[in-house]
Every structure is written in structure tokens, then in C-alpha cells.
Amino acid sequence: MNTPFPPRRSAALARLAQLDPQAYARTRNALEGAVSRLSPYVSHGLLALPELLRAAAARHPGLKPQHSWVYELGWREYFQDSWHWRGEAILQDLHPGPLPGSAYLKELPEDVRQGRTGLAVIDRAVAQLYEEGWLHNHARLWLASYLVHGRKLHWRVGADWLYGHLLDGDLASNHLSWQWVAGTGSRQPYLFNAENVRRYAPSPWRVDGSALDCGYETLEALARSPGRRLPPAPVSGPGLAEPDLHGTPPPELGPLAEAVDWRGREVWLVHPWSLAPPPADLGPEVLSVGVYLREFHQAWPWSARRWQFVDAAMRAGSGEGAGVQQRCLLDAAGLARAMGGARRVWMQDAPHWLPWQAAWSLAPALQLRPAPRVFARPEAPCDSFSQWWRRCGAARAPDLHALPGLLSASAAAPVT
């Protein structure tokens, strides 16, 4: 598969070894900055957050909790904790935004879908999304802000569309980021203008002289005016062809079992958010099984590129013959039946599957393991990242070794 994200843990570790925390801190806001491009590997469990922190601390011995790289890891855990406490409520407005929900469109404009808005920053972002399945965080913010505040598209519509095409799509990080932009998960809507693009993007992305070449007062008024939208200026010629999204595995993945028998077996369940090799303490006799949950993929279809990335990583395992021994497409009831006959089933917690987890949560064989963490989870939901950061105590930690969980048994082995 020709991709800038080879679907192997070894490729993720090689990219992690090149991380320069100081360069990241200096340039991370720029589209051509020294960002890690590790998010697909993190979202799918090929890398754990403690590994990222250990690697950065090893390359930058003076790294402090207030470093921007540490903050980035904190943001991810903050989003995951918001999901933990709120559940599917993260898919709805957390609080009222600048305008009532009825003021926003419920369908993605076709000129945006085809990358033909006439605004280079938007059209290039859409093209890169379709081509790579990845976008720099600044490009994601610009795309979301343009759609929500400029074109008056409901944030949930945009978030669902983006999720389907991202290799790193995570419901918490993606949908809560859109809420942050929309102003339903933050105090203010996120806005950008042509000057912001000039500062952080290369010249082909710029939109000088466009409707975005204005002051923030103008954009603030636009965001709070229900009847005002930026007029599209579609370019001539054919637009981009949006890749199809698949609610079932595409045929190129090959056959998947739709019924399995785990009677008397010990099973390590590999799923799309836990693609790392089995934990060493499980022993060599454990059956490693890759599972796709039918109901989830019907609700949240993926691009063929993402299916291929996940399935190739699932097959490869550690790259040392530790790939899965079975690959299955099961519904929740079928997974519950398989667990019911097993001697023991280990799996890492999968919050994406929570709406269907009741079907197997009482299976006596199931041993659910938490995902590796850097920070301790707060005992109550937090209304903002700053509140979460204070509760976790990281801002007061004198050094990285004081961060809760960094050296805990749940953390992955050090990166070498």
C-alpha cells in the first residue's frame, strides 16, 4: 500500500525515534513544521502515550510538564476523559454555541466536498484529506471554522464527514475538537483569517484578497449572524472525487470469519484501537484474534485507505510473526457468544464499542484491561482543559517522573 503511514509498529517506532521535541515546540503551528505525524499509530494502539513521553524525555532530558509536547498528550487524554464521563453526549452540543442549532445546514456543501470552493486553504485541505487520510491540526481547525462559521454547517455534520476519511479518526478527539471550534465546547468560536494562513501555511495555501482577508471583528460578527454565510466561489473544471466510505470491510481485505469457536481457549482480542502485539505476560499459547464489530462500522463507516491501514497492521502484529491468527467480522451478539465459550478473553478497553458492550460485559471469561495512560484520570468530569490539567496535578509536577502513571505497570516498555 502506497502511503505516508506504513501500517507497521516498526514504522511508528522509527518515526518516533526522529521526534525532536524542541523543533516541535518551535514550529508545530506551521503546516511545514516539525510535527510528529504519529496520530494514526496512536489512535490505533500501535503506540501508547507513555511511549511517546518516554521517547521525548530521552531525547530532551530537560523536558518539563509544561512543554508543548506534553500538553499535546494531555489534550488527548482530556478528550478521552470527557468521553469517559459523558459518553455519547459528546456527539451533541455540550452547551449552547453562538447560534441555535437550527441556524446551521445539515448537509455538506458540494463545492466543499469536491474541493472547489475557490479558497486555496480549504480546497488543498480537502485534497490532502482524500489523498493521505491526514491533516495538520491547523488545517483541521481552518477547515472546521470555515464550514461552521463561514458556511453555517452544523459542526456534527462536518465532524462525521472528517472522521470517515481520517486515518487517525477518534470520536473523542475529532468531535470534541469540532465542538471547540464551534463554540459549543469552548467559550468562544475559533476563527481564522488570511493573515493567520499567511503566518502558518506555505504560499499555495494562502487566501489573500478573499473574503477571509479581513479583521476578526468581521469574522466574529459573521459567526454570530444566523443569516450570513461566506459566498462560495467555485473554480472551473472538474472537482475532486470523494473516496467512498465503507460500513463493511472492502473486498480487498479478503475473507473474514463471521462465526468463531473459542471454547476452552485463552484469547487476546485485537481490535482497531489496540493493534499492538499481545502483552508479554499472556504467554505463547494465547490465541490472538482480530475482531471488527459489525454494528460499529455500520454506524461509523471508514474509507478504504483506513480499512487497509488497520487490517495490514492487524495482520503484521509486531512484524515478528506475532500477527493475529484469526480475523473476524462479528456482531455484538456473536462476540458475546464467542466470549461465553472461552476459557479467558483479554482485551484492551475500547470506548468506541461502548454502545454495544452490554452484550458481552458480563461474560465471566472477559478480562478488560485499561489503555496505557500518562496522567491519572480525574474523579469527575472537567469543563475545560485548564481545569483538567490542574486536577491532574501535572502543572505542579517538578519533573516528568512525578507525572502519575508514567512509570506505572500499565505503561508500555521504554522505547529503544
Side-chain angles (χ1 to χ4, degrees), residues 53-111:
L53 190 50
R54 288 175 184 272
R59 292 179 65 87
H60 186 7
L63 197 69
K64 298 295 183 183
Q66 295 79 13
H67 192 278
S68 59
W69 176 250
V70 185
Y71 274 129
E72 285 303 305
L73 305 186
W75 270 102
R76 183 172 182 86
E77 288 200 352
Y78 163 65
F79 285 144
Q80 295 296 315
D81 288 345
S82 296
W83 195 9
H84 170 81
W85 288 109
R86 294 182 171 90
E88 291 199 290
I90 68 167
L91 304 179
Q92 308 298 327
D93 292 358
L94 296 181
H95 60 70
L99 299 171
S102 59
Y104 296 96
L105 301 173
K106 300 303 189 291
E107 289 190 16
L108 186 73
E110 279 302 308
D111 62 301

Side-chain angles (χ1 to χ4, degrees), residues 26 32 44 61 66 72 79 100 104 106 111 130 145 167 187 209 223 225 230 245 253 276 335 344 352 364 369 404:
R26 289 194 310 271
E32 297 180 319
H44 290 294
Q66 295 79 13
E72 285 303 305
F79 285 144
Y104 296 96
K106 300 303 189 291
D111 62 301
Y130 292 168
S145 181
L167 286 181
R187 293 184 178 88
S225 300
L230 290 178
L245 299 180
L253 267 58
L335 181 55
R344 191 171 290 114
H352 286 81
R369 295 192 171 200

Side-chain angles (χ1 to χ4, degrees), residues 127-150:
Q128 185 178 1
L129 174 67
Y130 292 168
E131 183 178 349
E132 295 186 15
W134 182 88
L135 286 174
H136 185 285
N137 188 58
H138 232 144
R140 300 183 197 211
L141 295 178
W142 292 335
L143 182 58
S145 181
Y146 169 76
L147 281 169
V148 175
H149 304 304

